[in-house]
Amino acid sequence: MALPSQDPDADGTQDAAAPQAPAANPDPGTAAAVAAAEAAGLGAGETVRIDSWVWAVRLVKTRSLGATACRGGHVHVNGERVKPAYSVRVGDEVRLRHEGRERVVIVKRLIRKRVGAPVAAQCYIDNSPPPPPRQAVAPVGIRDRGTGRPTKRDRRELERLRGLGTPDAPSTPDAPDTGRRRPGR
């Protein structure tokens, strides 16, 4: 009697139901880091604090910055302001306003510990609007070397160019003086 071979498909064909290696991580270092993060991942039904999660996926630099953003009302989960201890779940939409930019992400994976940037990017889907373009503005207020301090007239012209002047400020030299004076002098 012949023993069956160890390979269920001895004819060399590959079974369609056999698990395939993920092709999403071509870099072996990233693949190893993802595997380590998944191994240390949370069990079913566990949750993570929102301040810890935004720090772990590198949306903020420190966990205390994440907590401060929550307390300041800069973090919204599913449209509601949340406190730092709010439990985030897979599928939640997180909106974070940080450093003049709004980040909109959807939670794909829960992690507690901070991981590398390639692994962190796989823990959320980024739906953030693109950052505003940097304005190409000629530098205003650069003076030639050796010209000395700007006079009051020069300073006023610079403020007018920058748009910092007040609209109701007197523009003529014979306008009444509105400066403070000491009494009795």
Side-chain angles (χ1 to χ4, degrees), residues 5-174:
S5 68
Q6 296 290 338
D7 188 11
D9 294 324
D11 61 348
T13 61
Q14 195 173 19
D15 188 13
Q20 298 288 326
N25 299 323
D27 182 25
T30 304
V34 169
E38 286 177 354
L42 305 174
E46 290 190 48
T47 58
V48 178
R49 289 172 55 113
I50 186 68
D51 61 342
S52 178
W53 188 81
V54 296
W55 165 74
V57 297
R58 298 177 168 263
L59 294 178
V60 293
K61 286 186 179 183
T62 64
R63 182 174 169 183
S64 63
L65 278 177
T68 304
C70 291
R71 282 192 296 273
H74 301 289
V75 179
H76 291 81
V77 177
N78 297 328
E80 296 181 20
R81 277 179 62 175
V82 294
K83 294 182 179 180
Y86 180 85
S87 297
V88 69
R89 293 174 178 80
V90 174
D92 285 347
E93 180 191 58
V94 177
R95 290 181 173 266
L96 170 72
R97 228 173 39 240
H98 182 62
E99 295 179 352
R101 183 172 176 216
E102 184 174 22
R103 301 289 305 265
V104 180
V105 297
I106 297 178
V107 179
K108 243 170 69 171
R109 183 180 303 148
L110 296 177
I111 57 173
R112 278 202 178 107
K113 295 190 175 187
R114 193 166 172 102
V115 293
V119 179
Q122 294 178 357
C123 294
Y124 59 87
I125 300 168
D126 195 357
N127 293 334
S128 303
R134 292 185 175 217
Q135 296 176 356
V137 178
V140 179
I142 295 181
R143 296 176 52 82
D144 294 330
R145 186 174 174 90
T147 57
R149 288 181 59 175
T151 62
K152 193 171 189 177
R153 180 179 180 184
D154 293 338
R155 193 190 75 234
R156 286 183 179 155
E157 288 177 4
L158 288 174
E159 288 175 354
R160 185 179 47 82
L161 285 174
R162 291 183 186 146
L164 299 176
T166 57
D168 58 337
S171 59
T172 59
D174 54 346

